[in-house]
Amino acid sequence: MSAPPTRPTQEQLDRYAEQFTQSQTLRHLGVRLSFPEGRKVLISLPEVRPEHLGGLGTTAVNGAVLSAMFDLAIGCTPALLDPTRRCATLQLSLSFQRPLVGSSLEAEAEIDSHGKSTLFASARIRDAQGNICARAQGVVRISTLPWASGESPAIN
């Protein structure tokens, strides 16, 4: 009988998150990645900026920004299993439930189920008051190849 797979340490996840948060893409979006208690993915946008707005010509956060946050949150869930392996979002299904207005937002994702190479995850985006404004489900491919940097998808 084989031993159960080991999960990454919080230190490994924190290092992955810090490196990825320093990537050009995440700095441009103004978001931060974290793995609270090693059980979920949290993407925070602490300051909604004018370039994030435009949903329906209003002051709501644009759906493209929310979609990017969902892709990032769900796409990072495999790190909860092994942060050294490459992964890619294969499918993303979104549901916008209410306009997201306000000064900040958070996306939270967790693993629903997984095999050796495929992972299913779900996510929610909440406004600053904690209201769920959008939901997503996704499928992620987990590769056997390591990240080019060795520890995270961040390549500076």
Side-chain angles (χ1 to χ4, degrees):
M1 181 180 237
S2 63
T6 60
R7 297 282 181 142
T9 65
Q10 188 65 50
E11 180 182 349
Q12 288 172 303
L13 291 170
D14 290 345
R15 187 169 51 249
Y16 176 103
E18 185 56 35
Q19 289 175 345
F20 203 2
T21 296
Q22 293 305 313
S23 71
Q24 187 174 20
T25 302
L26 270 60
R27 286 193 326 243
H28 177 74
L29 282 172
V31 299
R32 292 199 52 83
L33 166 66
S34 63
F35 298 95
E37 301 172 10
R39 295 185 187 154
K40 60 184 173 183
V41 176
L42 185 66
I43 309 297
S44 60
L45 178 62
E47 179 188 353
V48 173
R49 303 183 308 230
E51 60 267 26
H52 296 133
L53 303 178
L56 296 174
T58 70
T59 59
V61 175
N62 191 285
V65 173
L66 301 178
S67 297
M69 290 189 66
F70 275 138
D71 185 30
L72 177 61
I74 286 178
C76 286
T77 56
L80 295 166
L81 302 173
D82 184 352
T84 66
R85 292 172 61 189
R86 291 183 190 208
C87 56
T89 305
L90 296 176
Q91 185 271 333
L92 198 57
S93 176
L94 314 174
S95 172
F96 301 111
Q97 297 177 255
R98 63 191 297 165
L100 197 152
V101 294
S103 60
S104 65
L105 61 101
E106 287 186 340
E108 182 180 276
E110 67 270 334
I111 297 170
D112 295 329
S113 65
H114 68 88
K116 289 184 178 182
S117 63
T118 307
L119 178 145
F120 297 86
S122 56
R124 292 146 312 286
I125 292 181
R126 298 178 192 276
D127 62 16
Q129 289 73 43
N131 299 310
I132 295 175
C133 297
R135 296 179 187 271
Q137 292 183 308
V139 181
V140 183
R141 168 82 164 119
I142 306 170
S143 174
T144 58
L145 299 173
W147 293 109
S149 69
E151 290 186 292
S152 100
I155 301 173
N156 293 318

